[in-house]
Amino acid sequence: MSTNADQPLDLASLGPGLSVGGLGDEGSHAASAWNSLDDIARAVASCTRCSLYSGAKNPVPGHGNPNADFVCVGEAPGANEDEQGLPFVGQAGQLLTKILAAINLTREDVFICNVLKHRPPGNRNPNPDEVLACSPYLVRQIELLRPKVILALGTFAAQTLLQTREPIGKLRGRLHRYHGVPVIVTYHPAALLRNPSWKRPTWEDVQLARKLFDRVVEP
Ligand code: URA
Ligand code: URA
């Protein structure tokens, strides 16, 4: 268990189910018409809610098992993802595949998506207005999937999902929630490639995520 786990993981306190709120005005109206992940992918493909669509080659709504109980959320598509229309397919994506394998999950087991569904030009950080515009898609994805655990990858995904400015070193190693769903935070695989000393804490974080995933949910 990590040294900064000021909120110990208490599996017994986690009820099943999901409370979703806070979609807001326009978002919730549109989102109620999306009844599947495919509906969301179609909506993203024709989305003009922010300007990113105009510079992107492909939408990257997310990919994976539509029945996944384990969801990975990253920041935004990069160049490779924009080319292929798929999340985490570059170098960081290959590392993510290995990280998942370490907890006995394949990419076919999980659903992988990003906070932003179109690539920001030159991989710049997402702007707050872009996050706001794009958030109904992520909220609805989580609502439809109702996963047992969300693994937030990196500072941006973690701070955005959890609405905090706390640094990732403080957020990792303990349990959070996003719209009722348990969230575990860990380092972004791209950051791990630059800083191998984060491999150990990442290993601990994904073991924690695996524990949540394995917990038995009483009916
Ligand atoms: N980094 C991300 O945050 N998401 C991707 O899909 C690829 C790289
Ligand atoms: N900075 C990031 O953007 N992500 C991390 O995971 C760590 C540092």
Side-chain angles (χ1 to χ4, degrees):
M1 189 63 92
S2 90
T3 50
N4 62 0
D6 49 45
Q7 183 190 359
L9 182 63
D10 177 5
L11 295 175
S13 75
L14 295 170
L18 175 72
S19 61
V20 170
L23 263 179
D25 53 354
E26 208 186 329
S28 67
H29 182 71
S32 61
W34 307 328
N35 293 313
S36 68
L37 297 173
D38 286 345
D39 284 349
I40 295 173
R42 274 188 291 274
V44 168
S46 61
C47 186
T48 57
R49 289 172 59 92
C50 79
S51 65
L52 291 180
Y53 74 93
S54 61
K57 292 184 183 163
N58 286 295
V60 186
H63 188 73
N65 189 329
N67 299 311
D69 282 328
F70 193 107
V71 173
C72 301
V73 180
E75 176 171 330
N80 294 291
E81 291 74 25
D82 184 46
E83 284 288 343
Q84 298 186 40
L86 293 169
F88 281 97
V89 289
Q91 215 189 349
Q94 287 165 25
L95 182 52
L96 177 59
T97 303
K98 288 186 192 167
I99 291 168
L100 290 170
I103 51 168
N104 263 315
L105 292 171
T106 67
R107 290 180 67 121
E108 290 69 44
D109 292 327
V110 304
F111 189 83
I112 302 175
C113 63
N114 288 298
V115 172
L116 289 192
K117 312 304 193 194
H118 283 103
R119 183 192 185 201
N123 297 349
R124 67 157 168 74
N125 284 339
N127 291 328
D129 62 311
E130 294 159 355
V131 174
L132 192 66
C134 212
S135 66
Y137 301 121
L138 180 60
V139 172
R140 188 67 176 149
Q141 284 172 320
I142 299 303
E143 189 179 31
L144 289 170
L145 284 159
R146 294 173 173 266
K148 289 183 186 174
V149 58
I150 296 170
L151 182 64
L153 300 167
T155 301
F156 185 85
Q159 292 186 345
T160 302
L161 260 51
L162 303 175
Q163 295 288 292
T164 178
R165 299 306 304 265
E166 265 197 279
I168 190 155
K170 293 230 161 116
L171 295 171
R172 61 157 297 274
R174 60 194 171 99
L175 178 66
H176 309 269
R177 283 181 187 271
Y178 175 73
H179 294 273
V181 178
V183 175
I184 297 296
V185 168
T186 198
Y187 294 106
H188 194 287
L192 268 188
L193 288 168
R194 296 189 299 268
N195 193 337
S197 71
W198 284 334
K199 278 187 189 167
R200 175 65 194 262
T202 300
W203 166 256
E204 292 170 0
D205 295 333
V206 295
Q207 295 298 327
L208 195 54
R210 178 76 214 195
K211 262 197 221 172
L212 283 168
F213 181 70
D214 286 338
R215 88 196 148 96
V216 177
V217 177
E218 302 298 334

